[in-house]
Amino acid sequence: MTADGAVMTGPCCEKDGSSRPLSVVVLGSGAAAMAAVIAATERGAQVHVVERATVGGTCVNVGCVPSKHLVRSAHLQHWCDEHVEISDGCRCDGVPNAHKLHASRQALVERLRWQKYESVLDENPHVTVWHGEASFEDSRTVRVRSLAAQATQTETLLHFDRCLIAVGAEPYIPPIDGLASVPFWTSTEALASDTVPHRLGVVGSSAVALELAQAYARLGSRVTIFARRGLCTRTDPLVGETLMQALLDDDRIRIHCGALVESVQCEDGVFKVTLTTSQAVFMTDALLVASGRRPSTAALNMAAAGVSWHAASGQIPVDTHMRTNVPHIYAAGDCAPMPQLVYVAAAAGTRAAINMTGGEACLDLSLVPWVIFCEPQAAAVGLTEAEAQARGLRTETRTLPITSVPRCIVHGEKFGFLKLVAETPSMRIVGAQAVAAEASDMISTVAVAMRGHLTVADLSGMLLPYLTASEAVKLVAQSFTRDVHQLSCCAG
Ligand SMILES: Cc1cc2nc3c(=O)[nH]c(=O)nc-3n(C[C@H](O)[C@H](O)[C@H](O)COP(=O)(O)OP(=O)(O)OC[C@H]3O[C@@H](n4cnc5c(N)ncnc54)[C@H](O)[C@@H]3O)c2cc1C
């Protein structure tokens, strides 16, 4: 390191044949970054990680982990409320303690952040972590400005052979009149709150919006969702219709579809939300804006490195090898054009690291299962019937109501289905959609079947354990050739 803190790295070994390790700079420390750090150091690189906020990024700090903890707590509370005969004998007292829930959520976040991120970086001798905001100086140098909170402001120049941009995304704030001057919540504030508002307005119908809306309703809020279109509009319409039915079964939830929010005001802690469409006005005590997330690329000064990006979306285009237009600079995760899912980010980060260190790995996004963690869950993989037909495939489909699935019957599930899409005449599975308490497990089973190019007949003949969610996959496959209602309880 030089006097000004610059890390000088020589040319990579592949250029001059020296044994000097390849120097890789990774911008961000979330899922994409961590996967890349692990793969790159395993492959002999020396890695510098630059993080401007809390190590670990979105998933562990303000995303999947705290949101699924909140969702689980809220569903357990609801379960106790609904099954008083059982819960009376347990320790539920019927009143959620938001303060305790928040403390236990935070403890989980801190434990996982240490186990999966901080200690992994600390204990790796080939990694140096720099706390500060990164921006490109040129196509071989990143400038790190130390965090404003630090006593002395310093700047460091990191020279690299390869760079991975893994800066993730941040909440998109729609241009709604008055929004900027009111104390609205994004998902981050909703997950950090240790109180439950009496009335909660939710702008958006993303997975995050629906999960948090239902969780808060189950903890006691009266929730109004303002959805621009319907729910789950990018998949089979039955998914959105069924999820809507299930959400509205809770009389604490109201959903306004086709609702465009025109303006927001806040006076004495009460939000006034006005819709363009009907001029209707709604009063709420908290307002969650969850209208999607946009790449955090604005501060990167990518022009200095010659990296192209889409000005409107903020995304950095990459090829299937995660390479940007600059051959030694890569991008992965939520800042690149790929589904904003943590397992996609991690897979992209690993592949980027392999390619940066002389290997060859490509990201196949042809099969990306997704889940919305409401109760019931909504999930899907592959093509819908309409998408398959739009691609010129001939299809045959079956839809199995959850009232035909033993596990769902025993658990008293009210709403849901599993739909299987097969192409004819091969009867190969090309997609599935589900709404059910454990739709994620059903869809994961179908995803594995699709990866193995299985047919309806293959699935029908499998032995899948009785009273599992996966058994629904076998049953829906059997329903292509027989009436499953006529089968015995445990279909052979
Ligand atoms: C509430 C919520 C719930 C979610 N639930 C799920 C779920 O259940 N399942 C799922 O698959 N996905 C879920 N996601 C999405 C998932 O969290 C993201 O897709 C994933 O974490 C993205 O990882 P990443 O590495 O691309 O970015 P991030 O994890 O966001 O990491 C990017 C990092 O880069 C840092 N950074 C940004 N700019 C700079 C800069 N200039 N200099 C230095 N550092 C910088 C940021 O501070 C951040 O730490 C959820 C998201 C949210 C918000």
Side-chain angles (χ1 to χ4, degrees), residues 26-34 50-68 117 130 132-135 166-171 187-188 191 208 211-212 293 296-297 299-300 332-335 339-346 371 373:
V26 175
L27 311 185
S29 66
M34 285 300 293
V50 187
E51 173 56 61
R52 72 175 176 186
T54 312
V55 165
T58 301
C59 179
V60 73
N61 292 308
V62 294
C64 329
V65 171
S67 67
K68 264 74 257 179
Y117 296 84
W130 300 85
E133 184 165 71
S135 59
V167 292
E170 49 207 48
S187 57
T188 303
L191 289 168
V208 170
E211 289 173 9
L212 294 179
R293 294 173 65 82
S296 315
T297 43
L300 287 177
D334 283 5
C335 63
Q340 292 186 337
L341 296 166
V342 71
Y343 41 97
V344 172
V371 183
F373 290 90

Short mmCIF file of all heavy atoms in Angstrom, two decimals, residues 26-34 50-68 117 130 132-135 166-171 187-188 191 208 211-212 293 296-297 299-300 332-335 339-346 371 373, ligand 1:
data_model
loop_
_atom_site.label_atom_id
_atom_site.label_comp_id
_atom_site.label_asym_id
_atom_site.label_seq_id
_atom_site.Cartn_x
_atom_site.Cartn_y
_atom_site.Cartn_z
N VAL A 26 -14.44 -5.80 -5.67
CA VAL A 26 -15.87 -6.10 -5.68
C VAL A 26 -16.61 -4.94 -5.02
O VAL A 26 -16.32 -4.60 -3.87
CB VAL A 26 -16.16 -7.43 -4.93
CG1 VAL A 26 -17.66 -7.67 -4.82
CG2 VAL A 26 -15.47 -8.60 -5.63
N LEU A 27 -17.54 -4.33 -5.75
CA LEU A 27 -18.29 -3.20 -5.22
C LEU A 27 -19.59 -3.69 -4.62
O LEU A 27 -20.47 -4.18 -5.33
CB LEU A 27 -18.57 -2.17 -6.32
CG LEU A 27 -17.37 -1.76 -7.17
CD1 LEU A 27 -17.75 -0.66 -8.14
CD2 LEU A 27 -16.21 -1.33 -6.28
N GLY A 28 -19.73 -3.61 -3.29
CA GLY A 28 -20.90 -4.11 -2.58
C GLY A 28 -20.50 -5.33 -1.76
O GLY A 28 -19.44 -5.93 -2.00
N SER A 29 -21.36 -5.68 -0.76
CA SER A 29 -21.06 -6.87 0.05
C SER A 29 -22.33 -7.69 0.29
O SER A 29 -22.48 -8.34 1.30
CB SER A 29 -20.45 -6.45 1.39
OG SER A 29 -21.42 -5.75 2.15
N GLY A 30 -23.27 -7.63 -0.69
CA GLY A 30 -24.50 -8.41 -0.59
C GLY A 30 -24.32 -9.81 -1.15
O GLY A 30 -23.20 -10.34 -1.22
N ALA A 31 -25.43 -10.41 -1.56
CA ALA A 31 -25.42 -11.81 -1.99
C ALA A 31 -24.52 -12.03 -3.21
O ALA A 31 -23.73 -12.99 -3.25
CB ALA A 31 -26.84 -12.25 -2.32
N ALA A 32 -24.65 -11.16 -4.21
CA ALA A 32 -23.85 -11.33 -5.43
C ALA A 32 -22.37 -11.18 -5.10
O ALA A 32 -21.52 -11.97 -5.54
CB ALA A 32 -24.27 -10.31 -6.49
N ALA A 33 -22.06 -10.16 -4.29
CA ALA A 33 -20.67 -9.88 -3.94
C ALA A 33 -20.07 -11.03 -3.15
O ALA A 33 -18.96 -11.50 -3.45
CB ALA A 33 -20.60 -8.58 -3.12
N MET A 34 -20.80 -11.50 -2.13
CA MET A 34 -20.25 -12.56 -1.26
C MET A 34 -19.97 -13.84 -2.04
O MET A 34 -18.94 -14.49 -1.84
CB MET A 34 -21.22 -12.85 -0.11
CG MET A 34 -21.24 -11.81 0.95
SD MET A 34 -19.65 -11.56 1.77
CE MET A 34 -19.44 -13.10 2.63
N VAL A 50 -15.64 -3.35 -1.36
CA VAL A 50 -15.97 -1.98 -0.94
C VAL A 50 -17.46 -1.92 -0.57
O VAL A 50 -18.31 -2.29 -1.39
CB VAL A 50 -15.69 -0.95 -2.07
CG1 VAL A 50 -15.87 0.47 -1.53
CG2 VAL A 50 -14.29 -1.14 -2.65
N GLU A 51 -17.76 -1.48 0.63
CA GLU A 51 -19.16 -1.41 1.08
C GLU A 51 -19.42 -0.04 1.70
O GLU A 51 -18.69 0.39 2.58
CB GLU A 51 -19.45 -2.53 2.09
CG GLU A 51 -20.82 -2.46 2.74
CD GLU A 51 -21.97 -2.43 1.74
OE1 GLU A 51 -22.12 -3.40 0.97
OE2 GLU A 51 -22.71 -1.42 1.73
N ARG A 52 -20.50 0.61 1.24
CA ARG A 52 -20.78 1.96 1.76
C ARG A 52 -21.75 1.96 2.93
O ARG A 52 -21.93 2.98 3.58
CB ARG A 52 -21.31 2.87 0.64
CG ARG A 52 -22.71 2.55 0.19
CD ARG A 52 -23.20 3.56 -0.83
NE ARG A 52 -24.53 3.19 -1.31
CZ ARG A 52 -25.16 3.81 -2.28
NH1 ARG A 52 -24.60 4.82 -2.90
NH2 ARG A 52 -26.36 3.42 -2.66
N ALA A 53 -22.44 0.84 3.14
CA ALA A 53 -23.40 0.79 4.25
C ALA A 53 -23.07 -0.41 5.13
O ALA A 53 -21.91 -0.69 5.39
CB ALA A 53 -24.81 0.74 3.69
N THR A 54 -24.09 -1.15 5.56
CA THR A 54 -23.84 -2.28 6.47
C THR A 54 -23.40 -3.49 5.66
O THR A 54 -24.03 -3.83 4.65
CB THR A 54 -25.13 -2.62 7.25
OG1 THR A 54 -25.66 -1.41 7.77
CG2 THR A 54 -24.86 -3.59 8.38
N VAL A 55 -22.36 -4.16 6.11
CA VAL A 55 -21.90 -5.37 5.42
C VAL A 55 -23.03 -6.39 5.36
O VAL A 55 -23.77 -6.57 6.32
CB VAL A 55 -20.67 -5.97 6.16
CG1 VAL A 55 -20.39 -7.39 5.70
CG2 VAL A 55 -19.45 -5.08 5.95
N GLY A 56 -23.19 -7.03 4.19
CA GLY A 56 -24.23 -8.05 4.05
C GLY A 56 -25.31 -7.67 3.05
O GLY A 56 -26.04 -8.53 2.56
N GLY A 57 -25.45 -6.35 2.76
CA GLY A 57 -26.41 -5.93 1.75
C GLY A 57 -27.86 -6.12 2.16
O GLY A 57 -28.20 -6.19 3.34
N THR A 58 -28.71 -6.24 1.16
CA THR A 58 -30.16 -6.21 1.37
C THR A 58 -30.69 -7.44 2.08
O THR A 58 -31.42 -7.34 3.08
CB THR A 58 -30.87 -6.07 0.00
OG1 THR A 58 -30.41 -4.87 -0.62
CG2 THR A 58 -32.38 -6.01 0.16
N CYS A 59 -30.37 -8.63 1.58
CA CYS A 59 -31.06 -9.85 2.01
C CYS A 59 -31.01 -10.03 3.52
O CYS A 59 -32.06 -10.15 4.18
CB CYS A 59 -30.45 -11.06 1.30
SG CYS A 59 -31.21 -12.60 1.81
N VAL A 60 -29.83 -9.99 4.09
CA VAL A 60 -29.74 -10.30 5.52
C VAL A 60 -30.15 -9.11 6.39
O VAL A 60 -30.73 -9.30 7.46
CB VAL A 60 -28.32 -10.80 5.88
CG1 VAL A 60 -27.29 -9.67 5.86
CG2 VAL A 60 -28.32 -11.47 7.23
N ASN A 61 -29.90 -7.88 5.91
CA ASN A 61 -30.13 -6.72 6.77
C ASN A 61 -31.54 -6.16 6.70
O ASN A 61 -32.16 -5.87 7.72
CB ASN A 61 -29.15 -5.60 6.42
CG ASN A 61 -27.73 -5.97 6.79
OD1 ASN A 61 -27.46 -6.35 7.92
ND2 ASN A 61 -26.81 -5.89 5.83
N VAL A 62 -32.05 -5.98 5.46
CA VAL A 62 -33.34 -5.29 5.31
C VAL A 62 -34.25 -6.00 4.31
O VAL A 62 -35.20 -5.41 3.80
CB VAL A 62 -33.13 -3.81 4.86
CG1 VAL A 62 -32.45 -3.01 5.95
CG2 VAL A 62 -32.33 -3.73 3.56
N GLY A 63 -33.95 -7.25 3.97
CA GLY A 63 -34.71 -7.94 2.92
C GLY A 63 -35.29 -9.26 3.37
O GLY A 63 -36.09 -9.32 4.31
N CYS A 64 -34.83 -10.34 2.71
CA CYS A 64 -35.42 -11.67 2.92
C CYS A 64 -35.48 -12.06 4.39
O CYS A 64 -36.53 -12.52 4.87
CB CYS A 64 -34.59 -12.73 2.20
SG CYS A 64 -33.77 -12.19 0.70
N VAL A 65 -34.39 -11.89 5.12
CA VAL A 65 -34.32 -12.44 6.48
C VAL A 65 -35.29 -11.73 7.44
O VAL A 65 -36.18 -12.38 8.00
CB VAL A 65 -32.86 -12.42 7.00
CG1 VAL A 65 -32.81 -12.79 8.48
CG2 VAL A 65 -32.00 -13.37 6.17
N PRO A 66 -35.20 -10.39 7.59
CA PRO A 66 -36.17 -9.77 8.52
C PRO A 66 -37.60 -9.87 8.01
O PRO A 66 -38.53 -9.99 8.82
CB PRO A 66 -35.70 -8.32 8.62
CG PRO A 66 -34.84 -8.08 7.42
CD PRO A 66 -34.23 -9.41 7.06
N SER A 67 -37.81 -9.84 6.68
CA SER A 67 -39.20 -9.89 6.20
C SER A 67 -39.81 -11.26 6.44
O SER A 67 -40.96 -11.39 6.84
CB SER A 67 -39.30 -9.49 4.72
OG SER A 67 -38.69 -10.44 3.88
N LYS A 68 -39.01 -12.32 6.25
CA LYS A 68 -39.58 -13.66 6.48
C LYS A 68 -39.77 -13.91 7.98
O LYS A 68 -40.67 -14.64 8.37
CB LYS A 68 -38.69 -14.74 5.86
CG LYS A 68 -39.16 -15.17 4.48
CD LYS A 68 -38.90 -14.21 3.37
CE LYS A 68 -40.01 -13.41 2.85
NZ LYS A 68 -39.63 -12.48 1.79
N TYR A 117 -21.69 -13.40 6.69
CA TYR A 117 -21.03 -12.32 5.94
C TYR A 117 -19.76 -11.85 6.67
O TYR A 117 -18.65 -12.08 6.20
CB TYR A 117 -21.99 -11.14 5.73
CG TYR A 117 -23.18 -11.50 4.86
CD1 TYR A 117 -24.31 -12.11 5.41
CD2 TYR A 117 -23.18 -11.25 3.49
CE1 TYR A 117 -25.40 -12.46 4.62
CE2 TYR A 117 -24.26 -11.60 2.70
CZ TYR A 117 -25.37 -12.19 3.27
OH TYR A 117 -26.43 -12.54 2.48
N TRP A 130 -13.10 -2.57 2.55
CA TRP A 130 -12.98 -1.11 2.63
C TRP A 130 -14.37 -0.54 2.89
O TRP A 130 -15.30 -0.83 2.14
CB TRP A 130 -12.44 -0.54 1.31
CG TRP A 130 -11.09 -1.08 0.97
CD1 TRP A 130 -10.81 -2.23 0.33
CD2 TRP A 130 -9.83 -0.50 1.31
NE1 TRP A 130 -9.46 -2.42 0.23
CE2 TRP A 130 -8.82 -1.36 0.82
CE3 TRP A 130 -9.44 0.68 1.96
CZ2 TRP A 130 -7.46 -1.10 0.98
CZ3 TRP A 130 -8.09 0.95 2.10
CH2 TRP A 130 -7.12 0.06 1.62
N GLY A 132 -16.67 2.41 2.65
CA GLY A 132 -16.79 3.71 2.00
C GLY A 132 -17.55 3.57 0.70
O GLY A 132 -17.93 2.47 0.29
N GLU A 133 -17.80 4.71 0.06
CA GLU A 133 -18.55 4.69 -1.20
C GLU A 133 -17.60 4.59 -2.38
O GLU A 133 -16.63 5.35 -2.47
CB GLU A 133 -19.41 5.94 -1.33
CG GLU A 133 -20.28 5.90 -2.58
CD GLU A 133 -21.38 6.93 -2.53
OE1 GLU A 133 -21.05 8.12 -2.65
OE2 GLU A 133 -22.55 6.55 -2.37
N ALA A 134 -17.88 3.67 -3.28
CA ALA A 134 -17.01 3.45 -4.44
C ALA A 134 -17.50 4.22 -5.66
O ALA A 134 -18.71 4.36 -5.87
CB ALA A 134 -16.98 1.96 -4.77
N SER A 135 -16.55 4.74 -6.43
CA SER A 135 -16.89 5.29 -7.76
C SER A 135 -15.67 5.05 -8.64
O SER A 135 -14.54 4.93 -8.15
CB SER A 135 -17.22 6.78 -7.66
OG SER A 135 -16.11 7.47 -7.14
N ALA A 166 -21.49 -5.01 -7.90
CA ALA A 166 -22.59 -5.77 -7.25
C ALA A 166 -23.24 -4.86 -6.22
O ALA A 166 -23.33 -5.18 -5.04
CB ALA A 166 -22.04 -7.03 -6.60
N VAL A 167 -23.69 -3.68 -6.71
CA VAL A 167 -24.17 -2.64 -5.79
C VAL A 167 -25.66 -2.72 -5.49
O VAL A 167 -26.21 -1.89 -4.77
CB VAL A 167 -23.82 -1.21 -6.33
CG1 VAL A 167 -22.32 -0.98 -6.29
CG2 VAL A 167 -24.38 -1.02 -7.74
N GLY A 168 -26.35 -3.73 -6.07
CA GLY A 168 -27.74 -3.96 -5.68
C GLY A 168 -28.71 -2.88 -6.12
O GLY A 168 -28.46 -2.15 -7.10
N ALA A 169 -29.81 -2.79 -5.39
CA ALA A 169 -30.89 -1.85 -5.76
C ALA A 169 -31.45 -1.22 -4.49
O ALA A 169 -31.17 -1.67 -3.38
CB ALA A 169 -31.99 -2.60 -6.49
N GLU A 170 -32.21 -0.16 -4.68
CA GLU A 170 -32.84 0.52 -3.54
C GLU A 170 -34.29 0.81 -3.89
O GLU A 170 -34.67 0.76 -5.07
CB GLU A 170 -32.07 1.81 -3.20
CG GLU A 170 -31.79 2.67 -4.38
CD GLU A 170 -30.54 3.54 -4.20
OE1 GLU A 170 -29.47 3.03 -3.78
OE2 GLU A 170 -30.65 4.73 -4.50
N PRO A 171 -35.13 1.10 -2.89
CA PRO A 171 -36.56 1.29 -3.18
C PRO A 171 -36.79 2.36 -4.24
O PRO A 171 -36.18 3.44 -4.19
CB PRO A 171 -37.15 1.70 -1.84
CG PRO A 171 -36.21 1.16 -0.82
CD PRO A 171 -34.85 1.22 -1.45
N SER A 187 -39.78 -0.54 2.59
CA SER A 187 -39.74 -1.83 3.30
C SER A 187 -38.73 -1.77 4.46
O SER A 187 -38.91 -2.42 5.48
CB SER A 187 -39.38 -2.96 2.34
OG SER A 187 -38.16 -2.70 1.70
N THR A 188 -37.68 -0.97 4.29
CA THR A 188 -36.65 -0.89 5.35
C THR A 188 -37.25 -0.36 6.65
O THR A 188 -37.06 -0.94 7.72
CB THR A 188 -35.50 0.03 4.88
OG1 THR A 188 -34.99 -0.51 3.66
CG2 THR A 188 -34.37 0.10 5.90
N LEU A 191 -39.73 -2.80 8.26
CA LEU A 191 -39.10 -3.93 8.95
C LEU A 191 -38.38 -3.47 10.22
O LEU A 191 -38.06 -4.28 11.08
CB LEU A 191 -38.12 -4.63 8.02
CG LEU A 191 -38.81 -5.41 6.89
CD1 LEU A 191 -37.82 -5.83 5.82
CD2 LEU A 191 -39.53 -6.62 7.45
N VAL A 208 -42.99 -7.79 -2.08
CA VAL A 208 -42.67 -7.16 -0.81
C VAL A 208 -43.91 -6.46 -0.24
O VAL A 208 -44.23 -6.57 0.95
CB VAL A 208 -41.51 -6.15 -1.00
CG1 VAL A 208 -41.31 -5.30 0.24
CG2 VAL A 208 -40.22 -6.89 -1.36
N GLU A 211 -46.50 -9.17 1.01
CA GLU A 211 -46.03 -9.89 2.21
C GLU A 211 -46.14 -8.99 3.45
O GLU A 211 -46.66 -9.41 4.49
CB GLU A 211 -44.57 -10.32 2.03
CG GLU A 211 -44.40 -11.45 1.02
CD GLU A 211 -42.92 -11.76 0.72
OE1 GLU A 211 -42.03 -11.22 1.42
OE2 GLU A 211 -42.66 -12.54 -0.22
N LEU A 212 -45.67 -7.74 3.33
CA LEU A 212 -45.70 -6.85 4.49
C LEU A 212 -47.12 -6.43 4.83
O LEU A 212 -47.49 -6.30 6.00
CB LEU A 212 -44.80 -5.63 4.23
CG LEU A 212 -43.30 -5.94 4.12
CD1 LEU A 212 -42.51 -4.66 3.85
CD2 LEU A 212 -42.77 -6.59 5.39
N ARG A 293 -37.84 -1.89 -6.92
CA ARG A 293 -36.50 -1.43 -6.54
C ARG A 293 -35.68 -1.11 -7.79
O ARG A 293 -35.81 -1.79 -8.80
CB ARG A 293 -35.81 -2.50 -5.69
CG ARG A 293 -36.52 -2.69 -4.35
CD ARG A 293 -35.98 -3.85 -3.55
NE ARG A 293 -34.61 -3.69 -3.12
CZ ARG A 293 -34.23 -3.01 -2.03
NH1 ARG A 293 -35.14 -2.42 -1.28
NH2 ARG A 293 -32.96 -2.93 -1.70
N SER A 296 -28.73 0.69 -7.66
CA SER A 296 -28.05 1.79 -6.95
C SER A 296 -26.79 2.19 -7.73
O SER A 296 -25.69 2.19 -7.17
CB SER A 296 -27.63 1.33 -5.56
OG SER A 296 -28.65 0.64 -4.92
N THR A 297 -26.95 2.52 -8.98
CA THR A 297 -25.77 2.75 -9.82
C THR A 297 -25.40 4.22 -9.98
O THR A 297 -24.35 4.53 -10.54
CB THR A 297 -26.01 2.13 -11.22
OG1 THR A 297 -27.34 2.44 -11.64
CG2 THR A 297 -25.85 0.62 -11.19
N ALA A 299 -24.20 6.60 -8.15
CA ALA A 299 -22.97 7.19 -7.57
C ALA A 299 -21.69 6.62 -8.18
O ALA A 299 -20.59 7.00 -7.79
CB ALA A 299 -22.97 6.96 -6.06
N LEU A 300 -21.80 5.68 -9.12
CA LEU A 300 -20.61 4.92 -9.53
C LEU A 300 -19.70 5.63 -10.55
O LEU A 300 -18.60 5.16 -10.80
CB LEU A 300 -21.05 3.56 -10.12
CG LEU A 300 -21.56 2.54 -9.11
CD1 LEU A 300 -22.02 1.28 -9.84
CD2 LEU A 300 -20.48 2.19 -8.10
N ALA A 332 -23.32 -8.05 -11.48
CA ALA A 332 -24.19 -9.17 -11.09
C ALA A 332 -25.18 -8.73 -10.02
O ALA A 332 -24.91 -7.80 -9.26
CB ALA A 332 -23.33 -10.32 -10.54
N GLY A 333 -26.32 -9.39 -9.98
CA GLY A 333 -27.32 -9.13 -8.94
C GLY A 333 -28.32 -8.08 -9.37
O GLY A 333 -28.54 -7.84 -10.56
N ASP A 334 -28.91 -7.42 -8.37
CA ASP A 334 -30.03 -6.49 -8.63
C ASP A 334 -29.65 -5.29 -9.48
O ASP A 334 -30.54 -4.59 -9.97
CB ASP A 334 -30.59 -5.98 -7.29
CG ASP A 334 -31.46 -7.01 -6.59
OD1 ASP A 334 -31.55 -8.15 -7.07
OD2 ASP A 334 -32.05 -6.66 -5.54
N CYS A 335 -28.36 -5.00 -9.64
CA CYS A 335 -27.98 -3.84 -10.45
C CYS A 335 -27.91 -4.19 -11.94
O CYS A 335 -27.71 -3.32 -12.78
CB CYS A 335 -26.65 -3.24 -9.97
SG CYS A 335 -25.25 -4.36 -10.14
N PRO A 339 -33.78 -11.19 -12.69
CA PRO A 339 -34.81 -11.12 -11.65
C PRO A 339 -34.19 -10.73 -10.30
O PRO A 339 -33.12 -11.23 -9.94
CB PRO A 339 -35.36 -12.56 -11.60
CG PRO A 339 -35.03 -13.15 -12.93
CD PRO A 339 -33.75 -12.51 -13.37
N GLN A 340 -34.87 -9.83 -9.58
CA GLN A 340 -34.32 -9.34 -8.30
C GLN A 340 -34.63 -10.36 -7.20
O GLN A 340 -35.54 -10.17 -6.38
CB GLN A 340 -34.88 -7.97 -7.99
CG GLN A 340 -34.35 -6.91 -8.96
CD GLN A 340 -34.78 -5.51 -8.58
OE1 GLN A 340 -35.76 -5.32 -7.88
NE2 GLN A 340 -34.05 -4.51 -9.06
N LEU A 341 -33.86 -11.43 -7.22
CA LEU A 341 -34.02 -12.53 -6.26
C LEU A 341 -32.64 -12.88 -5.74
O LEU A 341 -31.67 -12.88 -6.51
CB LEU A 341 -34.64 -13.75 -6.95
CG LEU A 341 -36.07 -13.53 -7.48
CD1 LEU A 341 -36.47 -14.63 -8.44
CD2 LEU A 341 -37.05 -13.44 -6.31
N VAL A 342 -32.57 -13.22 -4.45
CA VAL A 342 -31.25 -13.37 -3.86
C VAL A 342 -30.49 -14.56 -4.43
O VAL A 342 -29.27 -14.51 -4.59
CB VAL A 342 -31.37 -13.42 -2.32
CG1 VAL A 342 -31.98 -14.70 -1.81
CG2 VAL A 342 -30.02 -13.18 -1.69
N TYR A 343 -31.21 -15.64 -4.79
CA TYR A 343 -30.49 -16.81 -5.31
C TYR A 343 -30.02 -16.56 -6.74
O TYR A 343 -29.04 -17.16 -7.18
CB TYR A 343 -31.37 -18.09 -5.22
CG TYR A 343 -32.82 -17.89 -5.60
CD1 TYR A 343 -33.28 -18.19 -6.86
CD2 TYR A 343 -33.73 -17.39 -4.68
CE1 TYR A 343 -34.61 -18.01 -7.21
CE2 TYR A 343 -35.06 -17.20 -5.01
CZ TYR A 343 -35.50 -17.50 -6.27
OH TYR A 343 -36.81 -17.29 -6.61
N VAL A 344 -30.69 -15.67 -7.45
CA VAL A 344 -30.20 -15.29 -8.79
C VAL A 344 -28.94 -14.44 -8.64
O VAL A 344 -27.93 -14.66 -9.33
CB VAL A 344 -31.29 -14.51 -9.58
CG1 VAL A 344 -30.73 -13.96 -10.88
CG2 VAL A 344 -32.50 -15.42 -9.84
N ALA A 345 -28.98 -13.49 -7.67
CA ALA A 345 -27.81 -12.62 -7.43
C ALA A 345 -26.59 -13.47 -7.07
O ALA A 345 -25.50 -13.27 -7.61
CB ALA A 345 -28.13 -11.63 -6.31
N ALA A 346 -26.79 -14.44 -6.17
CA ALA A 346 -25.66 -15.26 -5.73
C ALA A 346 -25.12 -16.11 -6.88
O ALA A 346 -23.90 -16.22 -7.07
CB ALA A 346 -26.10 -16.16 -4.57
N VAL A 371 -41.44 -17.06 -5.51
CA VAL A 371 -42.44 -17.26 -4.46
C VAL A 371 -42.83 -15.92 -3.87
O VAL A 371 -41.98 -15.06 -3.68
CB VAL A 371 -41.87 -18.11 -3.29
CG1 VAL A 371 -42.95 -18.38 -2.24
CG2 VAL A 371 -41.28 -19.41 -3.78
N PHE A 373 -44.30 -14.81 -0.31
CA PHE A 373 -44.50 -15.46 0.99
C PHE A 373 -45.68 -14.89 1.76
O PHE A 373 -45.55 -14.45 2.90
CB PHE A 373 -43.21 -15.37 1.81
CG PHE A 373 -42.11 -16.24 1.27
CD1 PHE A 373 -41.22 -15.74 0.33
CD2 PHE A 373 -41.98 -17.55 1.69
CE1 PHE A 373 -40.21 -16.54 -0.18
CE2 PHE A 373 -40.96 -18.36 1.18
CZ PHE A 373 -40.08 -17.85 0.24
C1 LIG B 1 -38.13 -6.59 1.91
C2 LIG B 1 -37.44 -7.50 0.91
C3 LIG B 1 -37.70 -8.86 0.94
C4 LIG B 1 -37.07 -9.71 0.03
N1 LIG B 1 -37.36 -11.04 0.08
C5 LIG B 1 -36.76 -11.89 -0.78
C6 LIG B 1 -37.01 -13.28 -0.73
O1 LIG B 1 -37.79 -13.76 0.10
N2 LIG B 1 -36.37 -14.10 -1.61
C7 LIG B 1 -35.52 -13.59 -2.55
O2 LIG B 1 -34.98 -14.36 -3.34
N3 LIG B 1 -35.24 -12.26 -2.63
C8 LIG B 1 -35.84 -11.40 -1.77
N4 LIG B 1 -35.56 -10.07 -1.83
C9 LIG B 1 -34.62 -9.58 -2.87
C10 LIG B 1 -33.16 -9.81 -2.44
O3 LIG B 1 -32.95 -9.31 -1.14
C11 LIG B 1 -32.22 -9.14 -3.44
O4 LIG B 1 -32.52 -9.61 -4.73
C12 LIG B 1 -30.75 -9.44 -3.14
O5 LIG B 1 -30.45 -9.21 -1.81
C13 LIG B 1 -29.85 -8.58 -4.06
O6 LIG B 1 -28.51 -8.86 -3.78
P1 LIG B 1 -27.34 -7.98 -4.46
O7 LIG B 1 -26.06 -8.61 -4.03
O8 LIG B 1 -27.60 -7.80 -5.89
O9 LIG B 1 -27.48 -6.54 -3.80
P2 LIG B 1 -27.49 -6.07 -2.29
O10 LIG B 1 -27.67 -7.18 -1.34
O11 LIG B 1 -28.47 -4.95 -2.24
O12 LIG B 1 -26.02 -5.52 -2.04
C14 LIG B 1 -25.55 -4.37 -2.64
C15 LIG B 1 -24.61 -3.67 -1.68
O13 LIG B 1 -23.87 -2.68 -2.39
C16 LIG B 1 -23.70 -1.56 -1.56
N5 LIG B 1 -23.44 -0.38 -2.41
C17 LIG B 1 -24.29 0.25 -3.25
N6 LIG B 1 -23.66 1.25 -3.89
C18 LIG B 1 -22.38 1.27 -3.43
C19 LIG B 1 -21.24 2.07 -3.71
N7 LIG B 1 -21.28 3.06 -4.59
N8 LIG B 1 -20.11 1.81 -3.03
C20 LIG B 1 -20.04 0.78 -2.13
N9 LIG B 1 -21.09 0.00 -1.84
C21 LIG B 1 -22.23 0.23 -2.48
C22 LIG B 1 -25.00 -1.46 -0.80
O14 LIG B 1 -24.84 -0.72 0.40
C23 LIG B 1 -25.33 -2.94 -0.55
O15 LIG B 1 -24.83 -3.36 0.71
C24 LIG B 1 -36.16 -9.18 -0.93
C25 LIG B 1 -35.89 -7.81 -0.96
C26 LIG B 1 -36.52 -6.97 -0.04
C27 LIG B 1 -36.21 -5.50 -0.08
#
